[in-house]
Amino acid sequence: MREEPLRATAGLRSSSTTLSSWRGQSGRRYIVGVHPLDLNELLDITDAVILAVSRDAGGTGHVVDSVLAGHEPSEETRTRWLEKVQERGASELHIHRLADTEARRREILADLRENADQAS
């Protein structure tokens, strides 16, 4: 699994959200919005796949952990998860919102976790 920044959006400043993509173990590409690692941001996310990402000195993204965001967020659960990924070095949330069903989101999460050394 690896991040593949979208060249077509390089330099665009039309929004506060940057777009990127991740290539799963299957070879499929998943477009994500890149957001700050922030509790308020995290509590607003529903029906999505969330990757907590850290960046190394060269700017390469590494998935620290990944989870599904359900329809109704639990503040307590998300606060604990945020604290855990911050301790592990995450600095960004990468959010995939294009899957239209829970089953599809679970498939994507599994694809993005299969080869992730640190995912839990």
Side-chain angles (χ1 to χ4, degrees):
M1 179 176 75
R2 67 186 182 280
E3 183 180 21
E4 297 179 343
L6 299 174
R7 288 179 289 222
T9 61
L12 292 180
R13 299 205 186 277
S14 60
S15 149
S16 62
T17 303
T18 302
L19 296 177
S20 190
S21 70
W22 285 85
R23 181 96 40 199
Q25 181 68 22
S26 68
R28 290 187 182 104
R29 188 176 192 189
Y30 304 101
I31 306 298
V32 296
V34 180
H35 300 265
L37 190 69
D38 175 78
L39 182 59
N40 290 328
E41 188 83 35
L42 187 59
L43 290 174
D44 286 341
I45 302 167
T46 59
D47 302 323
V49 177
I50 305 172
L51 307 176
V53 175
S54 66
R55 295 228 175 255
D56 63 25
T60 301
H62 302 277
V63 175
V64 172
D65 199 4
S66 54
V67 294
L68 290 179
H71 186 68
E72 295 184 26
S74 161
E75 184 171 351
E76 182 180 336
T77 300
R78 292 200 181 177
T79 299
R80 281 194 317 264
W81 184 77
L82 183 71
E83 290 169 354
K84 178 178 86 169
V85 298
Q86 281 177 319
E87 289 173 5
R88 293 173 63 191
S91 59
E92 301 172 352
L93 296 172
H94 290 209
I95 305 165
H96 178 74
R97 299 177 192 260
L98 300 176
D100 57 354
T101 67
E102 176 78 13
R104 183 68 185 121
R105 287 187 288 278
R106 288 188 183 284
E107 288 173 12
I108 292 167
L109 182 66
D111 192 23
L112 291 174
R113 278 186 163 178
E114 271 186 55
N115 201 27
D117 295 334
Q118 297 179 345
S120 60

